Amino acid sequence: MDTLPGPDGFLLSRTDPLFAAQQKLSDFLAADEARDPSRTMLDPTPWKKLPKRETITLIEATLRRLNWLCAHDAELDTAHMARHRLIQLLRVLEKIKLPCTEADLRTQIELTVPLMDRMWPDGPLDYLAEYLKKNDLTPELCSGLRQIQGAIKFGETCGQAALQSLAQRLHMLLWMDEWEPLDPSRCWSECIRRDFRAMTGERRIAWRALLKHLRGNAPPKMPSGWAREAEPLLAAVGLEDFRRQFCLWFAPFQSGQPLPLSVAGSHVLKCMLWYASLTRDDEVRECALWLLDVKWKQKRNTAKSMIALEVFGISKEELLARSLIKPEARSSGPSLLEKFLKAQFVHTAGRIAPDPDSDETIIQGELHFYRVNRSTRRIQRASDNAVLELDWPSVPDSMRMSLTRECDSEEQLMLRAHLLLHDSYFGRFFVPNKR
């Protein structure tokens, strides 16, 4: 036989260059069926013993298989369980330090983009960060990063913090895109990109290494590890050259003119202030404090830029006293999906009302009313009498760990009822039953 069926329905072709890797994945899925992936973590030990190149090939095979499982989701009852196991395996593989080439990275990015509604691209981005320690971005890698950036959307795979961290990493990586046309109206930091592109020879090499060390997802305060790595980069540029460029780039802050500031630019500004503090140079410090006079086009950018001045002894209290920043806002709390998963069976007073004279329960959603029959497990929308069922292919894998395709128990019925309480969001996962 030229093809072999895997336990997840995937057909292995003997002519596929990834056949051996796909066979290993089939063996893994078959052997892993006894483990509950929602309760027991996968043992990483045997996977860490694989040769590095075999692991890179296995990552590609896993990504290709995940894409296949998504494409055939509607016809496979347990595709979500296979995906869950494969994503756990992928996370184990991606924690292994691997010597990925540019071709490897481009393949991983290409295969990860279609999966971003189910998983985050941490693996390719982590490998890219390691790759960039000794190599530079290329137009093709930048194109792949823009595809990831375009696929970002807040949904069931992440919370706000993870979304923000991912966006910050991408903004900073793409800030180093040397082939993107410059646009001074986009951000103050375009002057840095402009001057860097004009550099040549060893000077350009030294400044590129310094700029590559800028971080988008760094914490508010300068980490000691970042500072240790920054010191030799700063020394390679030289104090005199750094001082000259730093003062030129910060001079617009004294102009009194409203300046634009992009997301990437705010991180560039913070890290440049960190570099400035490491010089321990009085003239550089004086230039850094020009930031206190800056006027941004969008006032909310003031807080982003000012907080980094703490490295020069400008405290939050002083910034608050000068009305340069505002008190921190409280956290917005867990997402709607998190609330649902944590409180699936908590009745909301007045919005779930059992009918004492029948077997029905009335659900008051945010958009519609629904009648839920506890015996037949039928859900009917009151406005048009449409009988609803889950649109299973659209249900995220994270929700499938609680929901089943068929409404085969009162527990499943009530899970659906609680989703419909928030039908302005979860209503997208229900369609009229055409049977």
Side-chain angles (χ1 to χ4, degrees), residues 216-248:
N217 58 345
K221 293 186 177 181
M222 180 171 56
S224 57
W226 186 93
R228 282 195 301 271
E229 294 178 6
E231 293 275 10
L233 301 176
L234 196 57
V237 166
L239 175 58
E240 184 178 347
D241 195 8
F242 181 85
R243 183 195 296 125
R244 179 173 56 252
Q245 290 299 144
F246 184 83
C247 294
L248 282 173

Side-chain angles (χ1 to χ4, degrees), residues 156 336-337 340 351 363-370 379 381 384 386-392 394-396 399 403 415-433:
E156 295 75 23
L336 190 58
L337 178 59
F340 162 69
R351 296 183 60 195
I363 307 296
Q364 180 185 342
E366 294 162 337
L367 302 177
H368 300 279
F369 282 86
Y370 304 89
I379 299 175
R381 189 165 53 208
D384 58 1
V387 177
L388 302 182
E389 64 179 11
L390 277 181
D391 179 23
W392 187 250
S394 72
V395 176
M399 291 172 60
L403 293 165
L415 282 173
R416 287 159 169 76
H418 278 81
L419 286 175
L420 290 171
L421 281 174
H422 306 285
D423 56 357
S424 63
Y425 181 83
F426 292 113
R428 72 183 74 180
F429 303 127
F430 290 85
V431 294
N433 186 340

Side-chain angles (χ1 to χ4, degrees), residues 38 42 86 132 173 198 228 275 331 362 366 371:
S38 65
L42 182 64
L86 289 173
L132 290 178
L173 285 168
R228 282 195 301 271
Y275 273 126
S331 170
I362 305 300
E366 294 162 337
R371 292 189 291 269

Side-chain angles (χ1 to χ4, degrees), residues 284-297:
V284 171
R285 183 183 189 278
E286 182 179 342
C287 293
L289 295 182
W290 291 344
L291 184 59
L292 291 170
D293 301 318
V294 73
K295 183 183 294 185
W296 298 117
K297 285 187 175 180

